[in-house]
């Protein structure tokens, strides 16, 4: 199944996508992760993308769209995929529809995560990621802490805070861009009849892993 994750930063998109991926075997394709990997290897694409990412701005479509297209053509994405972080603008959504139709495919499910604003900022500040490039597991010092502080449960590597999560200005900028550019996608996919909105919030004790298990159960029931 071809799935897209929508939702502001800090709603737990990555966590939900990772869990669905684990349960279904469909790859989680995170554009942010692909960019960060390229930045750490200092590839041409990484150096160019970092100019935008470090300020919290979107990387231009000329770079992002072809990168996603070549990833979707990989053999492991042919049975299904979970796109995490793409599309983020109406133009990207249209570019995606176009590339998928060339491949004889379409988006089948859009999972839209909503989290109260006051929880979002807190979740971004407390997010930690594994420094091992082959692992990249995500933690949260409050909601999902590692067993040993600062150390990845899965691989034992040290955890760190993402550069763009350290900078309150970059956080604000990313949330602003989400409101302005990405939230219109909610209507775009609602009109297609494939939108599923879920609230992720500690206040109602409904977290990413709960949403993910509900979705996987529904996929399996089909
Ligand atoms: P977040 O959702 O917390 O912003 P991501 O890991 O999804 O984190 O993305 C990190 C950064 O990578 C974004 O702030 C943006 O600069 C860039 N990026 C990721 N996906 C896209 C995209 N689809 N289009 C443009 N830029 C992107
Ligand atoms: Zn790890």
């Amino acid at each position: 199944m071809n799935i897209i994750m929508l939702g502001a930063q800090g709603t737990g998109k990555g966590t939900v996508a990772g869990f669905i991926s684990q349960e279904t075997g469909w790859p989680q394709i995170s554009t942010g992760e692909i960019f960060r990997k390229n930045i750490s290897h200092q590839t041409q694409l990484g150096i160019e993308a970092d100019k935008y990412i470090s300020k919290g701005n979107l990387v231009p479509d000329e770079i992002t769209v072809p990168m996603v297209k070549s990833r979707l053509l990989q053999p492991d994405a042919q049975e299904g995929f979970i796109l995490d972080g793409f599309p983020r603008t109406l133009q990207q959504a249209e570019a995606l529809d176009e590339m998928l139709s060339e491949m004889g495919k379409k988006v089948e499910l859009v999972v839209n995560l909503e989290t109260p604003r006051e929880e979002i900022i807190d979740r971004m500040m407390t997010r930690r990621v594994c420094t091992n490039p082959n692992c990249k597991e995500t933690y949260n010092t409050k909601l999902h802490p590692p067993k040993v502080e600062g150390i990845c449960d899965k691989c034992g590597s040290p955890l760190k805070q993402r550069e763009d999560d350290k900078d309150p200005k970059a956080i604000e900028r990313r949330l602003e861009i989400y409101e302005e550019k990405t939230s219109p996608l909610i209507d775009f996919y609602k009109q297609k009849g494939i939108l599923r909105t879920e609230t992720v919030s500690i206040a109602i004790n409904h977290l990413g892993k709960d949403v993910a298990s509900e979705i996987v159960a529904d996929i399996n029931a089909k």
Side-chain angles (χ1 to χ4, degrees):
M1 187 180 233
N2 305 328
I3 304 175
I4 289 178
M5 302 298 308
L6 279 186
Q9 290 76 7
T11 51
K13 280 193 305 283
T15 306
V16 174
F19 186 91
I20 299 174
S21 169
Q22 224 171 53
E23 297 297 308
T24 59
W26 304 324
Q28 171 186 4
I29 301 178
S30 158
T31 41
E33 276 309 328
I34 303 176
F35 285 134
R36 280 188 288 281
K37 200 177 234 174
N38 276 279
I39 292 169
S40 72
H41 290 110
Q42 288 287 296
T43 67
Q44 203 51 49
L45 186 146
I47 292 167
E48 191 53 34
D50 195 36
K51 294 180 193 162
Y52 302 90
I53 295 178
S54 60
K55 296 199 175 68
N57 288 320
L58 293 181
V59 178
D61 285 357
E62 298 84 73
I63 301 175
T64 310
V65 171
M67 179 180 91
V68 170
K69 186 170 182 181
S70 73
R71 181 65 188 85
L72 290 177
L73 288 167
Q74 298 294 308
D76 67 332
Q78 301 317 305
E79 292 296 304
F81 53 78
I82 304 126
L83 263 178
D84 165 19
F86 185 95
R88 285 197 198 219
T89 62
L90 274 175
Q91 270 143 311
Q92 289 185 359
E94 280 155 7
L96 178 66
D97 276 354
E98 201 179 299
M99 68 175 94
L100 287 178
S101 92
E102 280 170 20
M103 300 173 197
K105 298 180 183 181
K106 59 179 184 339
V107 178
E108 294 165 282
L109 173 66
V110 179
V111 178
N112 174 39
L113 303 182
E114 294 186 340
T115 297
R117 179 82 178 197
E118 61 275 17
E119 287 184 36
I120 281 191
I121 307 259
D122 196 45
R123 291 177 64 144
M124 288 171 81
M125 306 293 294
T126 52
R127 173 155 72 178
R128 297 291 181 275
V129 289
C130 177
T131 49
N132 172 359
N134 298 318
C135 174
K136 301 172 303 182
E137 186 74 2
T138 302
Y139 297 87
N140 181 293
T141 56
K142 285 190 192 161
L143 297 175
H144 169 44
K147 292 199 183 77
V148 179
E149 197 189 320
I151 300 293
C152 179
D153 292 350
K154 281 202 174 159
C155 75
S157 302
L159 304 179
K160 67 160 186 151
Q161 195 170 17
R162 263 170 52 178
E163 288 305 322
D164 53 353
D165 282 351
K166 284 185 197 162
D167 178 3
K169 274 214 192 93
I171 290 191
E172 230 163 81
R173 179 82 191 118
R174 282 148 65 205
L175 290 171
E176 247 172 52
I177 293 178
Y178 181 81
E179 271 316 311
E180 184 192 321
K181 303 233 168 92
T182 311
S183 66
L185 292 185
I186 296 171
D187 266 339
F188 178 83
Y189 288 117
K190 195 184 269 172
Q191 277 166 23
K192 290 180 187 274
I194 51 175
L195 188 79
R196 171 172 182 157
T197 295
E198 295 280 354
T199 302
V200 175
S201 164
I202 186 109
I204 57 165
N205 195 21
H206 196 238
L207 292 177
K209 59 179 184 338
D210 305 307
V211 170
S213 10
E214 289 156 21
I215 292 172
V216 168
D218 289 348
I219 291 172
N220 289 336
K222 272 190 191 154

